[in-house]
């Protein structure tokens, strides 16, 4: 999809090269919903950990996401001036 739109990107396998906490915090600072906007509440890992979004601090979430990439919404597309988190068809369609 991105290649067809001639969007240049560098893929990163988050399971082989997980994001570091500092990278997660940097993304969260740019994300409209912050750290919680990066959290994949549908992931099996989220459910297995029994997390309660209301009781877990942002700092705890960042540490958990750094240890367990399945907690991150994917894909994460960082275009420098734009950030797309999770599959958002409208956002992907708008890429040029």
């Amino acid at each position: 999809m991105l290649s067809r739109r001639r969007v240049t990107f560098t893929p990163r396998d988050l399971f082989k090269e997980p994001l570091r906490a500092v990278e997660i915090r940097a993304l969260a600072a740019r994300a409209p919903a912050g750290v919680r906007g990066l959290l994949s509440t549908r992931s099996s890992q989220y459910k297995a950990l029994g997390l309660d979004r209301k009781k877990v601090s942002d700092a705890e979430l960042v540490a958990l996401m750094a240890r367990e990439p399945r907690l991150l919404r994917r894909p994460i597309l960082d275009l420098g001036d734009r950030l797309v988190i999770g599959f958002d068809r409208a956002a992907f369609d708008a890429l040029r």
Side-chain angles (χ1 to χ4, degrees), residues 1-12 75-79 92 95:
M1 176 179 262
L2 296 174
S3 298
R4 284 182 294 189
R5 291 182 171 14
R6 300 196 194 291
V7 174
T8 49
F9 63 97
T10 303
R12 179 173 176 177
I76 298 171
L77 182 59
D78 184 354
L79 297 171
F92 278 84
L95 297 174

Side-chain angles (χ1 to χ4, degrees), residues 48-66:
L49 290 171
L51 296 176
D52 183 343
R53 288 174 55 163
K54 297 173 187 169
K55 294 181 181 178
V56 179
S57 72
D58 285 355
E60 289 171 309
L61 286 175
V62 167
L64 286 167
M65 289 179 203

Side-chain angles (χ1 to χ4, degrees), residues 25-89:
R25 284 192 294 274
L27 288 171
R30 297 174 47 218
V35 171
R36 290 160 197 287
L38 298 174
L39 181 63
S40 175
T41 57
R42 293 185 193 173
S43 75
S44 58
Q45 193 63 25
Y46 177 84
K47 293 171 184 160
L49 290 171
L51 296 176
D52 183 343
R53 288 174 55 163
K54 297 173 187 169
K55 294 181 181 178
V56 179
S57 72
D58 285 355
E60 289 171 309
L61 286 175
V62 167
L64 286 167
M65 289 179 203
R67 281 195 315 269
E68 181 48 69
R70 285 175 184 80
L71 292 173
L72 287 162
R73 286 183 63 205
R74 299 178 311 275
I76 298 171
L77 182 59
D78 184 354
L79 297 171
D81 62 333
R82 282 184 289 178
L83 185 65
V84 180
I85 302 165
F87 185 76
D88 178 342
R89 172 139 336 254

Side-chain angles (χ1 to χ4, degrees), residues 13-26:
D13 185 334
L14 298 179
F15 300 101
K16 291 180 181 174
E17 186 185 347
L19 293 175
R20 298 181 325 263
V22 66
E23 293 174 296
I24 295 168
R25 284 192 294 274

